[in-house]
Amino acid sequence: MKQFYSSYKGADEIKGEEVEKGQVYVVFSEELQCWCRALVGSVQCRADGYQLGCFLVDYAKYCSVPSENIRVLAGAFAKIPHRAKKCRLHCTKPLTLHIDYCENTAKIGPAKRWDTAAIQHFRKLLEEATEVKATIQAVEDNVLDVFLFVTIRDEKICVNDDLVAKHFAHYKEAEGTAGSSSDDCDSEVSLNECVPVEFVAPTFHARPKLPFGEEMSPRLEPGLAGCNSVLEKRSQRSRKVPKDNTVPVVSMVPGVPSKEDKAVQTERLPQFLNSNSFQIHTVEDGQQSFQSVGKEENFVFLSKKIEPSSVLETAPLFDGLKKELVRNKFPGPTFTESYCWPPVAWGCDVVAISQQGNDPLLYIPPVLTLLQLKSDYQALPNMSGPLALILCPGWKKAQLVFDLLKTYRKGCRRLHPMLIILGQKKKAASQVEIQGCEVVVTTPYNLLRLLEHNPGFLCRLCHLVLDEIEVLFSDTTEQVFAILDCYKKATAQAQGDLPHQIIAVGTQWNKHITPLVKEFMNDPHIVITVIEEAAIFGNVQQVVQPCMNSNRTAELLKILDFTQRNHQKVLVFADSVTEVEMIHKALKSNSVVSLKKHKESKCNAKCVLERWRKMHSSGTPAVLVLTDDCLQSLGIRDATCVIHFSFPSPGVFGQRLQSMSDNICTGIKDSAVDQEHTKAKSVILLTENSSCHAPGILHYLKHAEAEIPEEFYDLTARVLESEENEKSSRPLCASLKTFGICRNRTVCPDRHQINLSIDMAQNIAAEMIETPERVTILPLLVIHATNYFGRIVKKQKDQYTVLAKEMNDYFKVSGHRISVNTVEKSVFYGLHEGANCHRVQVVETPAEDKENVCKVTIKYIDEGRTSQVNSDQLLHLPAKFKSLPPQAVEIVVCRVKPIDNEVEWNPKVTDHINHKIKGKLHHAKVVHTLGQTVWVDPMVGVTNLPTMKMWINEYNIRSEILSTGLGTDNPEHTGEIKKLCSQVAVLDHAQSLEHLPAKPETTVEKFGTSVQTSLVRSTKEDTAGLEEASSPQDTSIQENSAESCNSSVTLPSNDVVQAKEEDSTKHQQKSCHPQVKWLQDKMTVTLKVQILKATDTKCEFSREKVAFSAYSEGKLYVVDLELYQSVIAEKSTCVIKDTEAVILLVKEKKGAWCKLLKNKNVHVSLDFEHWEESEDEKPFTVGSTKLSYLPAGSEDWFESSEDSNTESDE
């Protein structure tokens, strides 16, 4: 609109008297300085013209504008929905003080209007809030019913609950359209005013969506899962919303425990406990119970009855620990903690599955309380060893648990927690001293290394905690069971009456928990607060029935035919009122007894439920067809079969399963598909229109080990492919670049495919990599152990060194330091820091620049680091200093990764490498480049001895990492990067054929002929001999060599060149001619030279000739062909593969050749197998070539002498 109404003269102006109230126009807002859509509320005539009172429908602001600033709304802009939404607090009704003068009494009761104090308090919360969010609970007449959350001083507050707690309001469930009187609506406008609110849409969350109705945060590394807790509401707000409008509030901060959920929930707890509307009803069916709050339910499955400890004061914790929790502003037990703390504090075995299952505070407080009871541990042997052991999936989660233990040990007697991360060093385990340590935090791999050295480590162990059990069992199954066996043997050998306890907490049920419970636990308490996981534990059978969308009704009738014979209580869920009516009509026409319930039904929920139950009790199985929004009012919990006629969204899937909660099996079964114990069944009708929520449901069904048809996999694959394509604007996945693999592609927010417009937008300048076999690198910013930013330094005359000196000299003159008045994003500026000047680029500016001086985020374009500075520090940068492209490149060291399948480097390794390499020169071999990223293998720290014209290899970075014991070999890395980078050639091939590049991107001189080399360079993977030349003890000294080396780029030194040339002379008479196959199109000719594992490859092009030679298995192969017609030598390329060399010749003139050679050659023939292959399918890129250099990881090339202007002494 800004572009249209500011520049387009044809935008219709409108006179003030023609403006109609209640219509939407476009007005220019002086405050926002932009054109906005506005709803006109009033028109006032003044002496200077008309003044319009408007509401900006996209900014939720009221403003007054003159008539000359109003325009007619163009049709294209009228179609877009308004961004501003009218909201009201869900189920929150005003209270006031009612005074009865006759009775001389005063009491608080419902009111039609909000008190002034309530409105002032509401506005005060909004004014003090640094963040405002809302979860949508219902939509009525375009008004959103919400729960409003504000963040004040890092504390999350639910405004609804805060008003209730302060007796400004009370909760009242909406009944139909009741409560929507004019008085009620008028009274709510003053409080539920329009405020900027962030609505977190479900589509913005990453998969997997488990448990459904809440989002599970992406696990960036095994077992950490961001350590975020999920908001567990006292009422089932997120599960009871029509049309899946509920949006859960989820913490997405990795690495730290979330305060958001606890702060919100537990602050509500006192007002709920003190409220008359709060009641606890424990309904026991076998060993199963549910927690009820008013009319809504917060699901909990218990294998044994537990009285929850909902208040910190009455929780079964040590008094000193309670004080420490309060001192650290612990808000109180969450719903899950209220059920987990009691059995843990009793010393019982516990399995807890919850949305909050990755929060260490589920077990830390009660375990620390147990450790205060000295009398329980008097019979322990007088040996070294911990009393409690906490197993975490990875080092990062272990570090978090260790930090929490250090925080809360202050409220306990002397407690010495220890974090053990050993690595693979043999001596590391022998250096561990655990004398006096009572709590150890570690990972399965590290514990097994320690047990190998110290088998008696578990002799005193009483409490074993398995943190994030589903991750432990999925990633380290064998290791965990080996530890459990060791613990079982240790407890069997223990003498006396000692406490022994196993605690397993997580977010998902895992099939290996069954043998854990049966073989290693003693009658454990099982607590599950997620209905989907309880359904898996309780053996609910999941069935997927594929069918066409048009045949859903017929398929439904087949399913009902079976259920009717078995007298099952069947619920059929549909999306809409229309679907419910259609299904009900179809069932009646097929003589199936059915009832229906939707929001437009005349019968109320109680009437329908009574009729349904009476029919079943009388032996007449009736099918109930309903929409999701009716399930809460019906309160059905004893259904035996749920049929998802409409494909369920993750938000409603759990609601539907909860209708069968009374029939969830309560005991652990040997098989998840044991029909004898399967009382409940869930049937999903899968159609071609079910793609929207397919990945989330598939993830759950695989987790439930259900039988899944191929159609479901195909459908999900297409959805995931589409979602991957939608990530095209995201950066390339860092894990993919660093390690060659991303373990969680479905939940990773970043891209995993090449995007030419992004990845190749800024390529490394050709002159920066003169010889890929050896470049000089200066690391300046260390991201982690194998990822850095720095510069590639030229050997002779480095352009940046010259530029830096010129900039320093220029800005030394005070008159040249001109501050910038207006800072613009993406523009280059100068920055004077100490004695140095830097080129910087502004990457982020404040949203509203109200002050002359503000903080801006900048990037040092020649170093790669970012920082924040005051805008007045930025200096005007002359054009002559902008001509040199940004010098910072991203550097990735190949073929090494963290041990134990970790996805992040331990800070110890990163700190060690940072101290070792930052700001020091290194020599490296470039194996691949992509845009501004280079992959190197190896990368060696060097020291220059200029007087002797020598370089000394001090260390190899990869070997340094391996020597820490926290890194291991990653042989697949370069191969995966090669596959990734090969997409560039495929994507660019068609464009290259049509638009041949005028200049090669990288040119290497080969016997006087220029041959292009691709920016995506290929090398063989060969790790042999890397470590042999990597340590300082094996320091090699190189001599300086002549710069003008006329050998092929595959040859590392003059000495080797001479040796190869002599060898070539000896075998020239014995050379072989390989078989050559050829094919052509209108623009190119392709030659395929059949040669295995070619080495020392040379390829020469001329206008009418091509010469190729290479060694294979000790033999020299030579191809010398005189062409029938002319080719463009500069644009012809050669690609070396494992079984052949592919030469691509670019024709000088378009058209078909009648033959390839002037003279017949018996070794050359047509490639009939690929003769008709289309141009788009060829894996070549005109204008680039892949040449075979020395194997990746080989360090022989460092033995060459350094470039110099003098000859070698030899």
Side-chain angles (χ1 to χ4, degrees), residues 808 810-819 832 837 875-876:
N808 286 333
Y810 177 84
F811 285 113
K812 279 181 182 178
V813 181
S814 59
H816 292 167
R817 294 195 288 269
I818 305 172
S819 297
H832 197 272
C837 292
L875 306 176
H876 174 71

Side-chain angles (χ1 to χ4, degrees), residues 37-63:
R37 296 184 298 175
L39 179 68
V40 175
S42 64
V43 181
Q44 294 179 354
C45 182
R46 295 183 179 179
D48 56 346
Y50 285 86
Q51 200 72 14
L52 311 174
C54 301
F55 174 72
L56 305 184
V57 298
D58 297 314
Y59 296 92
K61 290 178 177 289
Y62 289 96
C63 67

Side-chain angles (χ1 to χ4, degrees), residues 1132-1184:
S1132 300
T1133 63
C1134 178
V1135 178
I1136 306 302
K1137 298 185 177 181
D1138 289 337
T1139 59
E1140 61 184 9
V1142 182
I1143 301 172
L1144 190 68
L1145 305 175
V1146 180
K1147 297 178 180 179
E1148 192 172 78
K1149 296 181 181 180
K1150 295 182 181 180
W1153 290 4
C1154 60
K1155 59 180 180 178
L1156 176 66
L1157 306 175
K1158 289 184 178 180
N1159 302 312
K1160 187 175 181 180
N1161 189 324
V1162 294
H1163 301 289
V1164 181
S1165 61
L1166 277 170
D1167 187 359
F1168 291 100
E1169 295 179 1
H1170 302 88
W1171 181 253
E1172 296 182 355
E1173 185 182 23
S1174 65
E1175 292 180 1
D1176 293 337
E1177 294 174 343
K1178 293 189 178 70
F1180 312 120
T1181 303
V1182 175
S1184 61

Side-chain angles (χ1 to χ4, degrees), residues 69 100-101 129 149 433 445 457 555 613 762 805 1007 1014:
N69 285 346
D100 190 336
Y101 293 99
F149 298 92
E433 296 182 2
Y445 287 105
F457 178 74
E555 199 66 41
R613 295 196 186 284
Q762 292 184 339
K805 184 179 183 304
F1007 303 103
S1014 171

Side-chain angles (χ1 to χ4, degrees), residues 52 101 175 185 195 202 206 209 264 282 305 317 327 354 457 493 623 698 818 820 897 916 937 955 965 997 1074 1209:
L52 311 174
Y101 293 99
E175 298 177 3
C185 293
V195 294
K209 296 180 179 177
V264 174
T282 302
K305 184 177 178 180
L317 303 180
R327 188 178 297 114
S354 167
F457 178 74
Q493 296 172 1
V623 177
L698 176 63
I818 305 172
V820 179
K897 63 182 179 180
K916 195 92 175 175
D937 186 21
Y955 55 85
D1209 293 339

Side-chain angles (χ1 to χ4, degrees), residues 20 33 80 172 310 526 550 597 756 883 949 1200:
E20 298 179 12
Q33 285 296 303
I80 304 172
K172 181 181 179 182
S310 302
I526 299 177
S550 56
K597 182 70 179 82
L756 290 178
S883 58
K949 297 180 181 179
S1200 65

